[in-house]
Amino acid sequence: MRKPIIGGNWKMNRGTPEESNQMLERLIPLVKDIKSVDIVIAPPFTVLTTVYEILKDTKIKIAAQNMHFEEKGAYTGEISPIFLRKVGVEYVILGHSERRDIFNESDALINKKLKKALSIELKPIVCIGEHLEDREAGNTKKIIEYQFNETFKNLTKEEILKTVIAYEPIWAIGTGKTATPEQAEEIHIFIRELLKIKFDIETADNLRIQYGGSINPNNAEELFNKKNIDGGLVGGASLRSDSFFKIIKAAIK
Ligand code: PGA
């Protein structure tokens, strides 16, 4: 049995201590008895320590939205994964489509970051997904397979098992256009096939694969009811405690 995982990616939307405090003080009592779902919040770097202080006695974990692949050095404006570990961060989102598309992050770069994260025991949430043109041209699986092979290059079975994969069709992110549960499930099954070929059946069965892209309280349950969807990575609807809580509840099996 895979434990569902729900991530709330605040992106660049909630970055002050007041905003973080307000949202989380409401969320904490709502989720305090939920044990069957892993809950992760990914705030901007500016509030990681604030969020750590707020969440430290709860089961909610913290993710960073990005990291650098080196531990230290002359990289102005970048954040070392070691710094993240030191301020209580447990997860890191890698390869989000906004990083790939706006900041030109390649599969090779994401692979480098992924290996570094694994080497210092930061748990990666790695995003893969196709553009609308790819889907319309019937190339979704081809793109997913390519990203999968390049992003997870030279990983051992032990390493990949520490990873969470987020399938995020780019056309569904922030657009209000969610993939149908069937469309999402089809790609989740395909990713499990790739895991089986590259690793083995045990890896394919045990690795958690989240869906992401315009999840909201109305569509969450139908998506999470699919056998191969292990929760979700939520952007817009994670900014408010009430909608995020409803999505978390929808993941309880
Ligand atoms: P969205 O974002 O829920 O606002 O579509 C999802 C994501 O970027 O992970």
Side-chain angles (χ1 to χ4, degrees):
M1 264 293 274
R2 297 179 300 265
K3 190 174 183 185
I5 173 167
I6 303 291
N9 177 7
W10 291 359
K11 307 192 180 181
M12 207 172 72
N13 293 310
R14 285 252 188 287
T16 68
E18 296 73 27
E19 289 169 327
S20 312
N21 201 38
Q22 206 184 43
M23 192 284 180
L24 294 171
E25 291 300 343
R26 287 187 186 139
L27 183 69
I28 291 166
L30 295 173
V31 300
K32 74 174 192 323
D33 295 325
I34 298 178
K35 295 189 179 71
S36 58
V37 179
D38 284 337
I39 306 169
V40 181
I41 298 281
F45 294 124
T46 46
V47 285
L48 285 174
T49 46
T50 311
V51 169
Y52 175 75
E53 284 305 316
I54 302 170
L55 295 181
K56 66 175 189 247
D57 298 322
T58 74
K59 291 200 179 62
I60 306 172
K61 306 294 186 199
I62 307 173
Q65 296 176 16
N66 186 25
M67 56 170 257
H68 194 263
F69 55 82
E70 293 287 1
E71 294 182 10
K72 62 185 240 183
Y75 300 104
T76 303
E78 288 292 329
I79 303 284
S80 157
I82 299 286
F83 303 164
L84 298 174
R85 289 292 278 131
K86 293 257 159 80
V87 296
V89 171
E90 263 184 56
Y91 289 83
V92 61
I93 300 174
L94 296 176
H96 190 280
S97 63
E98 287 149 18
R99 299 295 323 165
R100 292 175 184 266
D101 286 356
I102 308 170
F103 302 99
N104 296 320
E105 290 198 8
S106 64
D107 291 310
L109 179 73
I110 296 156
N111 177 260
K112 234 167 150 173
K113 292 185 179 194
L114 175 58
K115 285 205 193 124
K116 175 51 77 178
L118 287 164
S119 77
I120 62 158
E121 282 170 16
L122 259 181
K123 299 173 189 149
I125 298 174
V126 181
C127 307
I128 52 178
E130 80 286 1
H131 286 100
L132 185 60
E133 309 85 85
D134 305 323
R135 180 161 281 268
E136 285 176 350
N139 288 335
T140 300
K141 289 187 179 170
K142 212 165 95 187
I143 295 291
I144 295 293
E145 183 168 2
Y146 182 82
Q147 285 180 349
F148 179 93
N149 285 332
E150 296 302 308
T151 308
F152 299 120
K153 209 174 220 162
N154 299 325
L155 248 60
T156 63
K157 174 179 165 176
E158 289 65 38
E159 286 175 326
I160 188 98
L161 277 170
K162 291 183 182 137
T163 304
V164 174
I165 298 179
Y167 167 57
E168 300 211 304
I170 297 161
W171 48 272
I173 296 178
T175 57
K177 267 196 246 163
T178 327
T180 64
E182 293 69 32
Q183 283 173 322
E185 176 75 350
E186 185 192 1
I187 302 304
H188 283 233
I189 291 171
F190 180 63
I191 296 170
R192 290 200 196 284
E193 277 164 22
L194 296 173
L195 286 164
K196 196 163 121 190
I197 297 164
K198 197 167 162 128
F199 299 93
D200 56 20
I201 183 125
E202 193 195 346
T203 311
D205 284 345
N206 289 320
L207 199 135
R208 294 188 290 185
I209 309 176
Q210 303 176 293
Y211 166 79
S214 297
I215 298 179
N216 63 45
N218 299 324
N219 60 27
E221 194 167 339
E222 242 196 309
L223 285 158
F224 302 159
N225 277 343
K226 289 289 178 195
K227 213 169 124 226
N228 290 285
I229 301 182
D230 309 314
L233 188 55
V234 187
S238 74
L239 296 174
R240 289 177 51 103
S241 53
D242 53 351
S243 54
F244 193 50
F245 172 56
K246 284 183 190 149
I247 293 169
I248 295 165
K249 256 199 336 199
I252 299 174
K253 299 261 164 152

